[in-house]
Amino acid sequence: MDLLKGKVAIITGGSRGIGEAIAKKFAANGADIAFTYLSSEEKAKAVEDELKALGVRAKAYKSNAALMADTEALVADVVKEFGTVDICVNNAGISKDNLLLRMGEDQWSQVIETNLNSVYNMTKQVIRPMMKARTGSIINMSSIIGIRGNAGQSSYAASKAGIIGFTKSIAAEVGSRNIRCNAIAPGFIETDMTQYLKEGDAAQSYLSRIPLGRFGSPEEVSNVAMFLASDMSSYITGQVICTCGGLNM
Ligand code: NAP
């Protein structure tokens, strides 16, 4: 299928996990891809090559989504090289779990800056070209933890809940320009980030809380991103799509 043919997509954190799956899904549907990473240089180069092999233009950028200056330079470069930005997936994220009493200011700030400030930084940059083109789809990666909360994850939950409020506000601000802004709230997805959950003593208890009885795959999240990026969702904005095997019920 060529649902994104002729579109240009930026995906933050595309070197691994969910972002990598989204980059591949979008490329398989005809989109040109600019994606970012922070430290996995080799992995990013390999992903870039795989995307090009799908017949689209692709470029990996080392760019820290938590820094406004980096995102400004990134989006300027993408517009110069690719012509515009039609789709932006704010996916880059980290977790630094700890109970509040033990959580240092550094741990708190790193998570908020990487997960939440990054969404502000990137969105502020991409809405300019999107407003000019009078079209755009912004997809923000929240989490089921941003809706339900979780002991030991106050910083992560706060960042992901913040993304939901931001998403709805931006949807209201730019809807009249034909720019849509939605969020995805994945549950437990099998990536490097959740490896410790699968292996730990608590694995069975996590699984028992998921109606579908299993963790999700990055590919399953990429299907939802694909829907939100394409015109298939042309009348959907300001929404949070839970992709969690029913964990939110
Ligand atoms: P992951 O496998 O750990 O991959 C994280 C990606 O983000 C990597 O590409 C990493 O680049 C990049 N990244 C980290 N910090 C960055 C920064 N400051 N600037 C630019 N890129 C940065 O994580 P994942 O599981 O795929 O998660 C992706 C998103 O989904 C995150 O926002 C996460 O919170 C959210 N999410 C995940 C789950 C889950 O169960 N996995 C559930 C709910 C929500 P490097 O490779 O260079 O480090």
Side-chain angles (χ1 to χ4, degrees):
M1 279 205 287
D2 271 341
L3 282 172
L4 302 181
K5 190 143 189 70
K7 303 275 187 194
V8 176
I10 298 184
I11 299 151
T12 63
S15 52
R16 294 185 285 122
I18 293 170
E20 176 186 0
I22 292 173
K24 288 178 179 168
K25 178 71 66 179
F26 285 7
N29 279 272
D32 292 329
I33 310 287
F35 71 91
T36 68
Y37 64 96
L38 193 58
S39 54
S40 325
E41 189 118 27
E42 254 179 59
K43 184 71 179 55
K45 187 74 194 105
V47 172
E48 183 186 293
D49 290 343
E50 282 183 72
L51 297 175
K52 284 180 178 160
L54 292 168
V56 299
R57 287 189 296 165
K59 188 167 173 184
Y61 291 85
K62 184 176 167 76
S63 176
N64 187 346
L67 300 178
M68 180 62 94
D70 275 25
T71 60
E72 195 173 357
L74 166 74
V75 175
D77 199 277
V78 171
V79 170
K80 201 164 143 221
E81 284 220 8
F82 291 77
T84 188
V85 181
D86 301 292
I87 301 156
C88 175
V89 184
N90 290 315
N91 167 77
I94 57 168
S95 59
K96 296 216 177 281
D97 300 347
N98 219 336
L99 295 172
L100 184 62
L101 282 176
R102 293 195 204 124
M103 188 182 292
E105 278 184 60
D106 264 14
Q107 277 179 313
W108 171 268
S109 309
Q110 278 173 31
V111 170
I112 298 295
E113 283 163 17
T114 303
N115 296 3
L116 184 57
N117 292 12
S118 61
V119 179
Y120 158 74
N121 294 342
M122 282 299 298
T123 305
K124 201 167 159 72
Q125 298 305 326
V126 297
I127 57 168
R128 288 176 205 276
M130 286 179 176
M131 281 165 90
K132 208 168 146 203
R134 295 194 76 82
T135 180
S137 175
I138 299 164
I139 301 163
N140 297 325
M141 206 54 72
S142 179
S143 167
I144 202 71
I145 304 300
I147 296 170
R148 296 181 55 138
N150 197 22
Q153 289 200 293
S154 58
S155 57
Y156 187 78
S159 71
K160 295 300 184 180
I163 285 176
I164 292 174
F166 181 85
T167 298
K168 293 181 180 186
S169 304
I170 299 307
E173 275 186 35
V174 296
S176 63
R177 312 294 182 106
N178 195 33
I179 301 169
R180 298 181 296 110
C181 184
N182 291 289
I184 300 175
F188 297 117
I189 309 299
E190 290 197 48
T191 67
D192 295 342
M193 188 182 269
T194 50
Q195 194 55 32
Y196 76 103
L197 292 177
K198 273 191 82 183
E199 287 166 355
D201 293 341
Q204 267 316 316
S205 108
Y206 281 116
L207 279 177
S208 68
R209 284 156 47 196
I210 306 170
L212 287 183
R214 61 175 178 83
F215 286 9
S217 68
E219 159 94 22
E220 288 174 309
V221 181
S222 79
N223 287 332
V224 180
M226 181 61 214
F227 170 67
L228 291 174
S230 77
D231 289 342
M232 301 268 290
S233 59
S234 53
Y235 202 49
I236 296 180
T237 196
Q239 303 305 306
V240 184
I241 315 278
C242 290
T243 309
C244 62
L247 182 62
N248 63 325
M249 289 189 291

